[in-house]
């Protein structure tokens, strides 16, 4: 009965989508309009039409086309100016940016230094609750120091600050519009005003977001011929596969890994593969019993067969996870030392006898029950949860899998749902994390520091270790790269022993685009650079 209901629901969803997708060059009555529409699939709703909350793939792809950052990336992830013409680190704590004086917002108003300073400073406002606030905790001041000069002063040296203004944290919005809509900025009613190649038009919650061409776009080199982008929310694999094959969806940058091989079999699309900077992991909530017991965490780790997960679920869609919460993509500083370290520590070990030994030494030697939280849009991660569930039966540990929508999952992952004790309200989850910049600290700091346990933080394991906090803080002010890496290696030694996360996949990044479209210079590998200003319809 349940299976039949699911099939009926999928058929109904496909029928509904056939009536809601915009068609290239036609209006709702099927009449040709001459307009060119790019149809893009999302797994879930955006969090907000505001760059302050663009910290997930669905929100980022929308915001990256409405707003733009001071810096952006080259294809090799090196930095380059965007809304600024140049930048430099004057000393360890002072960064100076020369802002362009020829930028207009989508409403035709000129971008000013007031807009730039306002856009960055607002992330520091605790009342706003910006997801970008983390990046600004070490900022002493942000101010205009010339007609078109911006200076950022840090409290203490931080070698990773240079990457911040190439993320959503560096996106510029119009101050006047934001202040006029201080109570409802980013909502479906008002959206936001930015400098991007497209303009927010509408948002039907749970259904779609529509952007239209920015007639006042400042970048004359942009080649796109898109008049409208329609982002449709499709969380079901079967529905998305059908929509891509039929041509109702032209592009998707965020979809279930299960669909990669399916899309590769279609002759009307191209699957684009990029190296990833992300990880997929199983995290236990160390603030809850019995996961505050390291013996429990080690028992679980030894009970999981990483080879089975890789061979039967991940395959060539990623690289086998290991003891470090990062892949070689982040080994940008002293890479040879990092590679030697990985060689020395080895990888995950599947050993059910060791698992039983650790559980016997734990506070729950006879086993226990717990819940695993998974996004219903992440079918591959659900399959991994099933493998973990089955593996733990050997230890008399009973795991119940709980699924929620993708936007609900983000609220749990970002620590915004707490239980009656003020603790993150889940036992464990299977999730993904993408590094914000190519450096080992990009994963170590957000996932392991105490300050990231609370609301808006990304420490999904609620992991707390004062020594880790101290070493990561000290690493920011090291005199040399070598000294900084020494500190990070010490951190890795500790977290490997403590095992709050089990990293099973080092991700690759896949996109799919119709053969009727040229993706231009869109960086499919980085959510910060999903700007379609050079995407062209050539069908």
């Amino acid at each position: 009965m349940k299976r039949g209901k699911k099939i009926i629901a999928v058929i109904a969803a496909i029928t509904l989508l056939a009536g809601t997708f915009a068609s290239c060059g036609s209006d709702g009555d099927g009449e040709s309009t001459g307009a060119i529409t790019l149809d893009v699939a999302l797994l879930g709703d955006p969090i907000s039409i505001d760059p302050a909350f663009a910290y997930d793939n669905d929100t980022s792809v929308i915001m990256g086309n409405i707003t733009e950052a001071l810096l952006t990336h080259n294809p090799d992830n090196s930095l380059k100016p965007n809304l600024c013409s140049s930048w430099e680190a004057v000393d360890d704590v002072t960064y100076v940016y020369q802002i362009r004086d020829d930028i207009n917002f989508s409403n035709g108003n000129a971008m000013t230094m007031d807009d730039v300073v306002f856009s960055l400073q607002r992330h520091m406002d605790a009342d706003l609750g910006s997801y970008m606030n983390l990046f600004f905790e070490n900022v002493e001041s942000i101010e205009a120091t010339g007609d078109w000069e911006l200076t950022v002063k840090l409290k203490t040296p931080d070698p990773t600050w240079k990457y911040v203004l190439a993320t959503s944290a560096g996106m510029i919005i119009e101050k006047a519009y934001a202040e006029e809509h201080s109570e409802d900025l980013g909502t479906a009613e008002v959206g936001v005003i930015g400098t991007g190649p497209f303009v927010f038009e509408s948002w039907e919650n749970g259904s779609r977001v529509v952007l239209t061409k920015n007639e006042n776009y400042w970048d004359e080199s942009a080649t796109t011929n898109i008049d409208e982008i329609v982002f449709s929310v499709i969380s079901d694999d079967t529905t998305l596969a059908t929509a891509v094959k039929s041509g109702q969806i032209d592009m998707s940058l965020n979809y279930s890994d299960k669909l990669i091989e399916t899309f590769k079999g279609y002759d009307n699309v191209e699957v684009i593969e990029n190296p990833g900077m992300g990880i997929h992991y199983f995290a236990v909530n160390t603030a809850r019993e019995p996961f505050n017991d390291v013996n429990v965490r080690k028992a679980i780790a030894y009970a999981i067969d990483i080879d089975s997960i890789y061979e039967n679920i991940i395959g060539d869609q990623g690289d086998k996870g290991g003891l470090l919460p990062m892949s070689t993509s982040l080994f940008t500083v002293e890479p040879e030392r990092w590679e030697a370290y990985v060689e020395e520590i080895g990888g995950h070990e599947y050993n059910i006898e060791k698992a039983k030994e650790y559980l016997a030494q734990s506070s729950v030697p006879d086993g226990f029950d717990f819940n695993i939280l998974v996004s219903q849009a992440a079918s591959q991660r659900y399959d991994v949860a099933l493998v973990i569930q089955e593996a733990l039966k050997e230890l008399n540990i009973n795991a119940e899998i709980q699924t929620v929508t993708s936007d609900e999952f983000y609220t749990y992952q970002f620590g915004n749902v707490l239980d009656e004790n003020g603790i993150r309200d889940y036992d464990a989850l299977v999730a993904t994390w993408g590094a914000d910049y190519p450096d080992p600290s990009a994963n170590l700091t957000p996932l392991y520091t105490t300050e990231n346990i609370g609301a808006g933080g990304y420490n999904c394991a609620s992991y707390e270790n004062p020594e880790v906090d101290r070493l990561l803080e000290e690493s920011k002010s090291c005199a040399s790269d070598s000294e900084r890496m020494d500190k990070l290696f010490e951190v890795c030694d500790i977290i490997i022993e403590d095992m709050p996360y089990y990293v099973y996949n080092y991700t690759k990044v896949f996109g799919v685009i119709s053969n009727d479209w040229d993706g231009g210079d869109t960086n499919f590998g980085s959510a910060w650079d999903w700007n379609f200003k050079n995407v062209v319809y050539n069908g």
Side-chain angles (χ1 to χ4, degrees):
M1 181 64 72
K2 288 181 180 179
R3 186 177 180 184
K5 286 182 179 179
K6 183 175 181 180
I7 293 174
I8 292 171
V10 169
I11 294 173
I14 294 173
T15 304
L16 174 63
L17 287 168
T20 58
F21 284 129
S23 300
C24 182
S26 65
D27 61 19
D29 298 320
E31 297 294 326
S32 176
T33 64
I36 295 176
T37 298
L38 175 68
D39 288 294
V40 182
L42 302 178
L43 278 178
D45 263 321
I47 302 298
S48 171
I49 307 298
D50 182 340
F53 303 98
Y55 213 29
D56 64 273
N57 289 340
D58 295 320
T59 307
S60 291
V61 67
I62 294 171
M63 295 314 308
N65 284 288
I66 301 172
T67 54
E68 296 170 308
L70 293 184
L71 303 176
T72 186
H73 299 91
N74 291 303
D76 64 355
N77 285 325
S78 61
L79 296 170
K80 67 177 180 180
N82 192 33
L83 296 185
C84 68
S85 57
S86 64
W87 65 280
E88 65 174 328
V90 177
D91 56 45
D92 287 347
V93 296
T94 309
Y95 291 74
V96 177
Y97 304 82
Q98 303 303 323
I99 307 302
R100 295 182 57 143
D101 62 1
D102 59 348
I103 308 294
N104 288 329
F105 288 109
S106 59
N107 58 7
N109 293 337
M111 184 187 78
T112 69
M113 287 299 297
D114 280 347
D115 297 309
V116 175
V117 173
F118 168 82
S119 297
L120 303 186
Q121 286 183 344
R122 69 192 292 260
H123 297 301
M124 302 169 68
D125 181 358
D127 293 335
L128 176 65
S130 169
Y131 290 174
M132 304 296 114
N133 177 264
L134 165 71
F135 295 131
F136 293 84
E137 291 177 344
N138 189 38
V139 172
E140 180 70 37
S141 63
I142 299 172
E143 59 183 355
T145 49
D147 290 343
W148 291 100
E149 183 178 272
L150 176 80
T151 298
V152 177
K153 287 272 191 182
L154 305 181
K155 299 172 185 175
T156 59
D158 184 352
T160 65
W161 168 261
K162 62 185 178 183
Y163 301 108
V164 170
L165 299 189
T167 72
S168 296
M171 289 180 172
I172 307 305
I173 63 174
E174 189 184 48
K175 177 182 178 181
Y177 189 82
E179 291 183 333
E180 178 185 352
H181 296 283
S182 60
E183 298 299 320
D184 57 357
L185 191 73
T187 64
E189 288 70 31
V190 303
V192 73
I193 299 294
T195 67
F198 299 94
V199 182
F200 173 70
E201 180 69 23
S202 64
W203 175 11
E204 299 171 29
N205 192 274
S207 177
R208 67 180 193 166
V209 176
V210 179
L211 309 185
T212 55
K213 181 180 180 180
N214 177 4
E215 300 293 347
N216 296 304
Y217 190 46
W218 60 274
D219 188 353
E220 296 180 356
S221 70
T223 59
T224 186
N225 56 1
I226 300 171
D227 296 297
E228 178 185 64
I229 305 175
V230 177
F231 295 96
S232 297
V233 178
I234 312 174
S235 59
D236 179 78
D237 286 356
T238 302
T239 305
L240 178 56
T242 300
V244 169
K245 187 172 186 178
S246 68
Q248 292 175 314
I249 283 295
D250 303 308
M251 180 190 293
S252 180
L253 305 179
N254 183 30
Y255 51 84
S256 166
D257 294 330
K258 277 188 167 183
L259 291 176
I260 295 170
E261 293 305 315
T262 300
F263 290 153
K264 285 181 177 179
Y266 293 170
D267 58 11
N268 65 320
V269 298
E270 177 187 4
V271 175
I272 299 171
E273 177 180 334
N274 293 97
M277 296 198 301
I279 57 175
H280 287 169
Y281 58 82
F282 170 67
V284 295
N285 188 346
T286 62
R288 280 187 172 179
E289 295 180 349
F291 302 114
N292 58 340
D293 185 338
V294 68
N295 290 306
V296 171
R297 303 196 296 269
K298 288 187 174 182
I300 290 174
Y302 278 115
I304 298 172
D305 186 350
I306 183 68
D307 289 333
S308 177
I309 290 176
Y310 182 67
E311 293 167 8
N312 298 312
I313 300 177
I314 307 299
D316 62 0
Q317 299 165 17
D319 293 316
K320 190 193 307 186
L323 297 179
L324 288 185
M326 70 204 72
S327 68
T328 56
S329 295
L330 302 192
F331 296 169
T332 53
V333 182
E334 300 196 330
E336 295 82 6
R337 287 187 66 196
W338 281 99
E339 290 164 6
Y341 182 79
V342 171
E343 179 90 19
E344 179 184 348
I345 64 174
H348 290 300
E349 179 184 353
Y350 170 58
N351 189 321
I352 197 65
E353 293 307 315
K354 280 189 178 181
K356 291 177 179 179
E357 289 174 10
Y358 274 110
L359 191 67
Q361 299 171 36
S362 77
S363 57
V364 283
D366 298 324
F368 59 95
D369 299 340
F370 76 105
N371 295 325
I372 303 176
L373 194 66
V374 183
S375 168
Q376 66 186 27
S379 56
Q380 187 190 82
R381 275 170 262 159
Y382 182 83
D383 288 346
V384 171
L386 286 173
V387 170
I388 294 172
Q389 180 188 56
E390 187 64 27
L392 295 184
K393 289 180 180 178
E394 187 88 13
L395 303 179
N396 197 33
I397 298 176
N398 302 306
E400 180 178 337
I401 301 172
Q402 176 186 355
T403 61
V404 295
T405 64
S406 62
D407 50 328
E408 287 175 327
F409 186 83
Y410 286 129
T411 64
Y412 282 97
Q413 186 178 10
F414 293 161
N416 291 312
V417 182
L418 306 179
D419 64 18
E420 65 275 8
N421 298 312
I423 296 170
R424 285 172 175 252
D425 195 18
Y426 53 81
D427 295 327
L429 47 74
V430 181
T432 184
W433 170 260
D436 295 316
Y437 44 84
D439 186 277
S441 62
N443 282 6
L444 295 173
T445 297
L447 293 174
Y448 293 89
T449 54
T450 302
E451 65 186 5
N452 274 297
I453 294 175
Y458 317 107
N459 183 343
C460 296
S462 298
Y463 176 70
E464 186 171 357
N465 188 309
E467 184 69 1
V468 167
D469 291 340
R470 181 186 66 80
L471 288 166
L472 286 172
E473 186 61 32
E474 289 179 356
S475 73
K476 298 177 182 178
S477 55
C478 289
S480 67
D481 283 341
S482 182
E483 184 183 344
R484 185 165 79 91
M485 292 305 110
D486 287 342
K487 300 286 186 183
L488 298 188
F489 285 128
E490 287 187 65
V491 169
C492 290
D493 288 342
I494 295 170
I495 63 174
I496 289 170
E497 185 65 24
D498 284 350
M499 195 63 71
Y501 296 86
Y502 185 96
V503 179
Y504 63 84
N505 180 28
Y506 296 136
T507 64
K508 296 178 182 177
V509 180
F510 294 89
V512 62
I513 186 170
S514 165
N515 294 336
D516 290 335
W517 290 86
D518 180 352
D521 57 1
T522 303
N523 185 349
F524 284 78
S526 172
W528 304 126
D529 299 305
W530 286 343
N531 181 302
F532 298 161
K533 66 181 181 181
N534 292 317
V535 174
V536 174
Y537 177 69
N538 54 21

